[in-house]
Amino acid sequence: MRILTPLPVAALLACVIGHQLVAAVDIEPGHVKVVIVGAGAAGISAAQKLLEKGLDVVILEAAEQIGGRIQSSNLSEGLAPEYEGWVEVGPQYVYSFGELPKWLEEKGYLQDLPPQNDIYFSDIRGQLKGEDEIAAKNLDSLFNRLVSPMEDKGFPKADRKKFSVGAYLDSAYEAFKAEDGLKEFDAALAEASYDVNVRGHKVALGVDSLYDVAIDTYNVLQMGSIELKQLNVPFTTVFKDLASSVPAKNIKLEKAVSSIVFNKKTKSDHPIQVVTEDGEKIAAHHVIFTGSLGVLKADHEKLFKPALSPSRVKAINSIGFGKVEKIWAVYEKPWWKDIQADITGFGLLWEKDLKVDKERRYADKPWYRAVETINVATFAGEHVLEMALVGEPAELKGLADDEQLAKDLTALLKKFTKRDDIPVPQSAVSSWWANPYARGSKSYISYKSIEDNASFRNLSKSTWEYQHQGLKVPGLLFAGEATHSEYFSTIQGAIESGWREAKRLIKAYNLDENKL
Ligand SMILES: Cc1cc2nc3c(=O)[nH]c(=O)nc-3n(C[C@H](O)[C@H](O)[C@H](O)COP(=O)(O)OP(=O)(O)OC[C@H]3O[C@@H](n4cnc5c(N)ncnc54)[C@H](O)[C@@H]3O)c2cc1C
C-alpha cells in the first residue's frame, strides 16, 4: 500500500527552501518496520492497527503461545465428561469500562456473575449457621462499606497523600469501633471478619501490603463498586478471536528479546536493533515494548541500551506491581455438594488464630494461614476448588511440592469443615512470579509513587525521536496495562494502550486520515 500524505509544516518549509516542487512526501508504509515486543493484549492490539495501515510489523513473543497474562487451562483431563471445563490462570473478570465489554457483548461472550452463595466457616465453630451466619454476612457488608469513601471522587486530595489504603482502613475501622458500630457482634467474629476482608482486598489487588497501596488505586479504578462480568468461554478462545486479524506470519513465538539498542548509528536507515536470546538481530525503525511492569522492574537495565531516562526508571521502580498466584484443588467429584448443593465458596474466619499481624501476612504460619476464601471454580465442571495467595506466600514458599500442597489443602479444609472424609486432591498452582516474562500479576498505584510524584504517564511516554522520511518520529514506544492511567491492571488498559501507541506512530507518519 502506498499513501501520499501531506508534509508537515517543517518538512514543507524545507522543500520550499530547497526550491523543490513537490509538496508531499511519498511514504511507503510497508518500508516502516515496527517490532512489537510481546503478543499479549497490548501487543496484538497495536499490531492490528498498524497492519491496517500497511506498516511492516513483526511481533516477537518469548512464550510459545500468544495471550501473555491471558491464559486458560484445562484441569479436567482424564475425568468424566460432566466434569470437563477450564480455569483461568490469569484474568477472570471483565470490568465494565472501555470498549472491550461492548465487543464481548456483541460477540455473545459476556455473562453476569452467578449469585454468590458463599458459606462461612470458622476454625473454632465449623460451618456457621443461623445467627452466626447472618452476623458473618452482615459484618462482610459492613466492612465492604469502609472502602467506599476511597472511591468517592470528592475524597480530599490532601488525605490521598496522607493515607495509604492500609492506614486509611485501619483508621476507618477504629473509628467504626469507637462509634460502637460493632457492639452487637461477637468480638472475635468481628475481628476475624475484618481480617478476611483485608486479605480479600490484598488478593484483589495482588499486593503484599495494603500500606503500599495509594488510595488513588481505588479512586481511579472504583475497585469495590465497579460492575464485573465474566466470560462464558475460556479467555484464550476470546483472545484468539481478538487476535484473528493478525496473521501468524507476523508473530514469532519463542523469540525472547534480550536487548533493544536504539539511537544506533548504522548505514541502513534502521536506527534500532533488537537482539533476541537466540542471537538474531532485527533492524527496526520503531519498537513498541509491551512487557509487563514486573519485567521492566527486573530487566530494564539489561534490555535497553542506552539506559532509560531517570524519570522513567523512577516510575518503573516506584509504581506497584502485584504478586498473586492461584492454587487449584482438583477432585474427582464435588464432595462439597454434600454440605450444600449450591455452595459457591467458603469464607474462612480464623477466629482462633488472630494474633495481631498488622500486615496480615502470617509469615511465621503455614502458607495456608493466608487463604481467606476458597471458591468453587465456575467453569471447571464443578470439581475444582480455587484460591489465591499474594506476596510472600505467592513466591511459592511451601507450594513447590505438589504432594505437600495437596496434603496442606486437605488439612485446611478438614480444619474448617470439621469433616474427616475430605479426599486428597490433585493440586496445581500458577507461577506468575517465577515467569521471567511476567514477574508478577498486575500494576497498582503505590503509596511510594505518590510520594515520588511518579505516574503511569511516565511509563507511557515514547522516547527518543529521530528524523525518518523527512518526519520527526518516535523510536521507542511503550504499551501494556501499566501504561494506562485509568484502566491500568486490566485487559482493556492493555488493549487501549496498544491502540494508543499504534495511533502515535500512525499520526507521526500522517497516515491517520481515517479515524482509529
Ligand atoms: C492472576 C491474574 C489475574 C488477573 N485478573 C484480571 C481480571 O480479572 N480482569 C482484568 O481485566 N485483568 C486482570 N489481570 C490483568 C490482565 O491480565 C493484564 O492487565 C493484561 O492481560 C496485560 O496485558 P499486556 O499486553 O499489557 O501484558 P502481558 O499480557 O504481560 O503481555 C506481554 C507479553 O510480552 C511478552 N514478553 C515479556 N518480555 C519479553 C521479552 N523480553 N521478549 C519477548 N516477549 C516478552 C510476555 O511473554 C507477554 O506475552 C490479571 C492478571 C493476573 C496475572
Side-chain angles (χ1 to χ4, degrees), residues 28-300:
E28 177 60 79
H31 289 169
V32 177
K33 172 87 177 191
V34 186
V35 170
I36 298 175
V37 182
I44 290 288
S45 311
Q48 271 165 346
K49 297 287 178 200
L50 294 171
L51 286 167
E52 275 170 23
K53 295 288 176 185
L55 279 79
D56 178 10
V57 176
V58 64
I59 305 183
L60 305 179
E61 168 54 57
E64 55 190 27
Q65 75 284 322
I66 62 170
R69 279 170 268 172
I70 293 176
Q71 268 187 39
S72 317
S73 172
N74 180 344
L75 294 174
S76 331
E77 256 165 59
L79 291 167
E82 67 264 35
Y83 296 134
E84 273 176 13
W86 72 91
V87 293
E88 298 298 351
V89 185
Q92 189 159 350
Y93 302 109
V94 178
Y95 291 80
S96 54
F97 45 64
E99 296 300 311
L100 179 69
K102 293 177 210 154
W103 180 83
L104 292 169
E105 195 90 62
E106 269 169 38
K107 288 271 186 173
Y109 287 139
L110 215 51
Q111 69 176 52
D112 291 334
L113 298 183
Q116 289 298 295
N117 201 1
D118 288 0
I119 299 182
Y120 292 85
F121 290 85
S122 145
D123 60 345
I124 301 172
R125 313 176 205 195
Q127 183 180 353
L128 300 188
K129 293 195 173 137
E131 283 184 7
D132 277 346
E133 191 188 7
I134 294 169
K137 291 203 163 150
N138 287 343
L139 280 163
D140 211 28
S141 44
L142 275 178
F143 292 136
N144 266 333
R145 271 191 263 147
L146 293 183
V147 171
S148 34
M150 294 193 289
E151 302 193 322
D152 187 342
K153 293 287 171 203
F155 192 94
K157 273 235 165 339
D159 283 354
R160 288 194 215 172
K161 287 200 170 155
K162 196 162 113 198
F163 291 109
S164 64
V165 167
Y168 176 79
L169 282 179
D170 284 348
S171 72
Y173 180 50
E174 289 310 320
F176 191 58
K177 278 204 288 196
E179 287 159 13
D180 280 346
L182 295 174
K183 204 170 61 182
E184 64 189 271
F185 297 101
D186 176 293
L189 194 64
E191 281 301 322
S193 179
Y194 182 62
D195 183 60
V196 161
N197 268 273
V198 169
R199 281 180 295 122
H201 282 277
K202 286 179 62 168
V203 166
L205 291 159
V207 298
D208 194 24
S209 168
L210 286 183
Y211 300 92
D212 182 40
V213 184
I215 285 176
D216 284 27
T217 301
Y218 283 75
N219 204 269
V220 177
L221 277 184
Q222 303 285 295
M223 296 265 316
S225 56
I226 189 127
E227 193 195 351
L228 294 176
K229 295 218 172 184
Q230 64 184 5
L231 300 180
N232 50 24
V233 290
F235 238 123
T236 43
T237 306
V238 170
F239 193 77
K240 279 186 193 137
D241 192 352
L242 257 174
S244 58
S245 59
V246 179
K249 69 176 168 55
N250 294 80
I251 307 173
K252 291 195 188 316
L253 298 174
E254 297 184 81
K255 268 283 181 197
V257 168
S258 54
S259 66
I260 298 162
V261 188
F262 57 103
N263 202 3
K264 214 173 150 47
K265 304 267 177 292
T266 55
K267 289 217 175 83
S268 87
D269 79 335
H270 295 78
I272 309 185
Q273 191 177 65
V274 180
V275 185
T276 61
E277 271 171 18
D278 57 10
E280 194 179 341
K281 292 186 173 129
I282 301 163
H285 293 113
H286 308 278
V287 169
I288 304 181
F289 185 83
T290 74
S292 73
L293 177 56
V295 169
L296 283 173
K297 280 179 190 287
D299 292 333
H300 71 87

Side-chain angles (χ1 to χ4, degrees), residues 469-512:
Q469 302 200 10
L471 299 166
K472 200 171 179 195
V473 291
L476 182 57
L477 303 94
F478 292 83
E481 55 87 8
T483 68
H484 201 293
S485 304
E486 280 172 82
Y487 305 161
F488 58 89
S489 84
T490 68
I491 297 163
Q492 33 276 78
I495 292 176
E496 297 195 18
S497 73
W499 291 343
R500 180 195 65 220
E501 293 313 305
K503 198 171 174 179
R504 196 193 297 276
L505 270 185
I506 289 165
K507 195 159 175 242
Y509 284 104
N510 295 323
L511 298 171
D512 58 348

